[in-house]
Amino acid sequence: MINENTLKLRVGQSWRALLDALSRDHNKKFDRSDLACFAGILASLAAGLVASWQRWGNPLVDSGRELNVPLKLLHGERLYSEVGYIYGPFSPYLNASLYRIFHPSMWILWGHGIVSTAIILGMTYWIARQITGRFPATLACVAITWVCALKSQGNYMMAYAFGGLD
């Protein structure tokens, strides 16, 4: 008969062995398994986008400046001298060029946020994969997806400041 302490010890050892097996990675090179892991991360992001579609915040309160600054740049005003902005110039000029190619729309900013999220997850996976195995890197990216990218208080699709995101 197994007592309670022995059972807890065996269960703890089993979990530790499972996590060690999942974390151990003999091959640090990227291969098809990494592509499968990243596809799983993107599938998790897609599920989150479907679950939260267009409930990413109030555009006027959360991103009014992010909608307006590229529009001003599109109409010829200059950043920093005529248009006040505290972040770097990449994001407003990128959004202004996207406005020029397509048209000024909230969809442009949402698309920018979704693409930025995928790029952030890809970079995070690559960095985590340099340090650890596939499972912990995938777990880290899924956690970033749900805790940072899709949280209701502020997310990457309706960024308060795309300049801080890019």
Side-chain angles (χ1 to χ4, degrees):
M1 177 139 201
I2 299 175
N3 66 18
E4 186 177 335
N5 289 334
T6 307
L7 182 63
K8 286 181 183 178
L9 182 65
R10 287 186 183 172
V11 168
Q13 289 172 343
S14 298
W15 275 108
R16 197 170 304 116
L18 176 64
L19 290 175
D20 284 343
L22 290 172
S23 298
R24 189 177 316 118
D25 198 346
H26 303 292
N27 184 6
K28 289 286 185 183
K29 290 177 23 177
F30 283 82
D31 59 11
R32 290 183 189 257
S33 298
D34 289 298
L35 291 177
C37 290
F38 194 66
I41 293 165
L42 292 180
S44 174
L45 174 63
L49 289 172
V50 167
S52 66
W53 191 250
Q54 293 185 359
R55 290 179 291 194
W56 298 311
N58 184 337
L60 296 177
V61 174
D62 296 330
S63 293
R65 178 190 64 218
E66 297 302 318
L67 287 163
N68 198 27
V69 169
L71 196 57
K72 288 181 177 184
L73 295 176
L74 189 64
H75 293 301
E77 294 184 38
R78 292 180 299 160
L79 196 62
Y80 304 122
S81 61
E82 297 172 330
V83 179
Y85 199 69
I86 61 172
Y87 297 103
F90 178 73
S91 183
Y93 281 111
L94 173 66
N95 288 335
S97 63
L98 290 173
Y99 280 3
R100 184 181 318 268
I101 293 169
F102 301 106
H103 64 279
S105 169
M106 196 68 220
W107 288 98
I108 299 299
L109 295 183
W110 286 339
H112 178 181
I114 292 168
V115 169
S116 294
T117 301
I119 291 170
I120 288 169
L121 290 174
M123 290 177 11
T124 302
Y125 183 81
W126 181 77
I127 291 170
R129 192 63 180 84
Q130 302 300 313
I131 299 167
T132 186
R134 287 180 189 88
F135 179 71
T138 303
L139 193 61
C141 287
V142 169
I144 288 171
T145 300
W146 290 95
V147 174
C148 301
L150 295 170
K151 71 179 184 173
S152 61
Q153 293 86 8
N155 51 59
Y156 296 166
M157 274 52 72
M158 180 69 71
Y160 174 74
F162 278 112
L165 182 62
D166 291 335

